[in-house]
Amino acid sequence: MANLYRDTGVVLRVQKLGEADRIITLLTQKHGKVRAVAKGVRRTSSRFGARLEPFGHVDVQFYPGRSLDVVTQVETLDAFGVVLVDDYQRYTAACAVLETADRLTAEEGEPVLRLYLLVTGALRALAAKERDASLILDAYLMRAMAFAGWAPAVDECARCGDPGPHKAFNVHAGGMVCPRCRPPGSASPSADTLRLLAALLHGQWDVVDGIPTGARRDASGLVAAHLQWHLERQLRSLPLVERVERVERKAQPTDG
């Protein structure tokens, strides 16, 4: 059993295999994307079937196989799904987080520590319910695109590099464009929308909190368009995300 290896990871998706098994796709801390067989997990008597569900943050032991590795042990680190599945907005945002990570890691076995940290951070923030789910998702998408080398230009012209601020945004050009480089059909986002994009990319939450909520929908549209242009197809989960800010209310103690 010397070939066994262990890692922590987030379950991105699961697929049925045969009558009782599943193929589990995880984004791990040290080994990047890993696809492994979890044998017997669809049986009610399975020791760890419930731990290998999407959104689960787990410690996993694998045995290398010929085509797919085999899961031999699983311990739950964070059961994010328990909180997320009862909240439609946060659940769909979390689905978009996982699908984006899956799409950005085409190669299996290649370490992607930065993306792993982005995914776990986004799921933890969504489960904590301390910020609007749309803002958490857009911040994650901006940073995930930066990881992939696709971050939209927000502080300078995407074509000539002329320092901003500029007033036009063009997805095909790569982000903000100056008047000389502006292609036909470019969008003209508000100054608040541009400030929000920059703040989300750089994690400046104090700036984000001070921007009017009206800019958030426009920023979300630009982020989604830019991501899907580079992915070359639409994410299935992104149109399902509820883009309406909701105030999270914590339960108040009752007099008794």
Side-chain angles (χ1 to χ4, degrees):
M1 302 295 283
N3 290 330
L4 290 174
Y5 70 96
R6 201 172 194 101
D7 207 342
T8 59
V10 175
V11 179
L12 300 182
R13 57 189 170 93
V14 299
Q15 300 166 269
K16 293 181 180 180
L17 179 66
E19 295 183 358
D21 304 340
R22 276 181 180 160
I23 297 175
I24 314 296
T25 301
L26 304 100
L27 184 68
T28 66
Q29 184 176 15
K30 299 175 183 177
H31 298 86
K33 183 190 284 189
V34 173
R35 296 174 71 242
V37 176
K39 295 186 176 181
V41 294
R42 290 163 56 198
R43 297 193 183 103
T44 56
S45 59
S46 171
R47 292 178 293 122
F48 47 72
R51 302 172 193 171
L52 291 172
E53 295 290 344
F55 315 119
H57 185 211
V58 291
D59 182 292
V60 192
Q61 182 173 274
F62 302 95
Y63 182 81
R66 291 184 177 179
S67 57
L68 293 172
D69 295 346
V70 178
V71 175
T72 58
Q73 292 182 11
V74 184
E75 296 294 335
T76 298
L77 300 177
D78 297 287
F80 295 127
V82 174
V83 178
L84 297 172
V85 295
D86 290 331
D87 186 317
Y88 179 81
Q89 185 187 35
R90 292 182 181 279
Y91 171 78
T92 52
C95 288
V97 168
L98 298 190
E99 187 180 357
T100 301
D102 196 12
R103 294 288 304 280
L104 291 180
T105 50
E107 295 294 327
E108 296 179 25
E110 293 293 329
V112 285
L113 177 60
R114 184 179 172 191
L115 184 60
Y116 164 82
L117 294 174
L118 287 174
V119 171
T120 54
L123 293 179
R124 186 167 287 110
L126 287 168
K129 299 186 177 182
E130 294 177 354
R131 291 190 180 276
D132 178 58
S134 286
L135 289 176
I136 294 170
L137 174 59
D138 288 337
Y140 163 79
L141 294 177
M142 288 286 284
R143 296 180 199 181
M145 285 191 285
F147 159 80
W150 303 337
V154 293
D155 300 315
E156 70 285 327
C157 176
R159 286 190 165 174
C160 70
D162 187 35
H166 300 298
K167 297 182 178 180
F169 188 101
N170 189 277
V171 170
H172 300 181
M176 299 306 299
V177 286
C178 68
R180 296 189 305 276
C181 299
R182 175 176 180 166
S186 299
S188 299
S190 68
D192 284 335
T193 299
L194 301 181
R195 287 178 57 228
L196 180 57
L197 290 175
L200 291 173
L201 178 61
H202 301 303
Q204 299 169 331
W205 289 102
D206 54 335
V207 176
V208 171
D209 292 338
I211 295 176
T213 57
R216 295 181 182 180
R217 185 176 295 275
D218 289 341
S220 294
L222 294 177
V223 171
H226 193 84
L227 173 65
Q228 293 177 132
W229 163 258
H230 284 283
L231 290 177
E232 297 183 347
R233 74 179 190 190
Q234 189 176 49
L235 292 176
R236 292 176 297 175
S237 55
L238 204 53
L240 303 177
V241 177
E242 186 181 64
R243 292 294 192 173
V244 178
E245 183 186 19
R246 293 184 292 159
V247 178
E248 302 290 351
R249 294 181 175 86
K250 296 183 179 180
Q252 299 295 324
T254 57
D255 296 333

